[in-house]
Amino acid sequence: MKFRQLLSIVAVMICCAFISNDPFSDKIKNALETFYNRYPQEKVYLQLDKDYYASGENIWFKGYVTVQNRPTFLSGNLYVELLDSSGNLITRDMLPVMQGGAPGSFALPQDFHSGEYRIRAYTAWMLNFDPGYLFYKDIHVYNAQDK
């Protein structure tokens, strides 16, 4: 939440900096540019093969990690987690990022219960910022043996 408040203040300062041409606005521009270069924001996207699965299947995915719209140079590992509907961790995988990509999969056991699950993906660098910027994807798992 603090990050969003900081972002709002920064946005107002940017607007003021572009309206006026005084030395204070130049300091603001330089400070924002330094912040942007010193703390770049990584973004993760996971492409899944489908949105619903049966127990016993594999969840295939490919992760894309970018920084400033280019393949990342900051992080070497992508963390992908499978969470239950309560947010409890079921499994976690650490994948090496090569040229901005990281393929992987989760094997669902035959006795995996039906329900809503969530996949979360992030890098260690992303944990320094607001958790709202982590990647989240909801999936559904079916088990024919569940009533």
Side-chain angles (χ1 to χ4, degrees):
M1 194 54 123
K2 290 181 181 181
F3 186 75
R4 289 184 185 170
Q5 291 171 344
L6 176 66
L7 196 59
S8 300
I9 292 169
V10 168
V12 170
M13 293 171 74
I14 289 173
C15 292
C16 293
F18 285 112
I19 293 172
S20 113
N21 288 326
D22 62 75
F24 181 69
S25 64
D26 291 336
K27 286 182 182 180
I28 293 172
K29 288 178 193 176
N30 292 337
L32 290 173
E33 192 172 307
T34 302
F35 180 80
Y36 180 74
N37 291 330
R38 193 174 292 171
Y39 305 108
Q41 180 67 47
E42 278 187 326
K43 295 184 179 166
V44 170
Y45 178 76
L46 238 55
Q47 180 180 8
L48 277 71
D49 59 335
K50 50 189 174 179
D51 294 331
Y52 51 89
Y53 297 88
S55 57
E57 287 187 323
N58 286 334
I59 300 174
W60 296 97
F61 57 84
K62 178 155 186 196
Y64 299 94
V65 186
T66 62
V67 62
Q68 299 173 351
N69 297 324
R70 294 200 169 100
T72 189
F73 58 87
L74 293 174
S75 298
N77 295 318
L78 174 67
Y79 299 90
V80 182
E81 300 173 340
L82 181 62
L83 310 169
D84 65 11
S85 59
S86 301
N88 299 319
L89 180 66
I90 296 172
T91 185
R92 174 186 296 141
D93 203 0
M94 183 178 70
L95 306 167
V97 177
M98 293 183 221
Q99 299 176 353
S105 67
F106 288 127
L108 299 175
Q110 287 291 341
D111 60 347
F112 206 75
H113 295 289
S114 295
E116 295 292 324
Y117 294 89
R118 175 171 273 188
I119 294 180
R120 176 173 57 195
Y122 57 90
T123 65
W125 177 255
M126 293 173 70
L127 295 177
N128 293 316
F129 302 99
D130 189 343
Y133 289 106
L134 305 181
F135 176 84
Y136 297 96
K137 173 82 173 171
D138 293 329
I139 61 169
H140 191 82
V141 176
Y142 297 99
N143 186 336
Q145 297 174 358
D146 287 347
K147 299 275 181 188

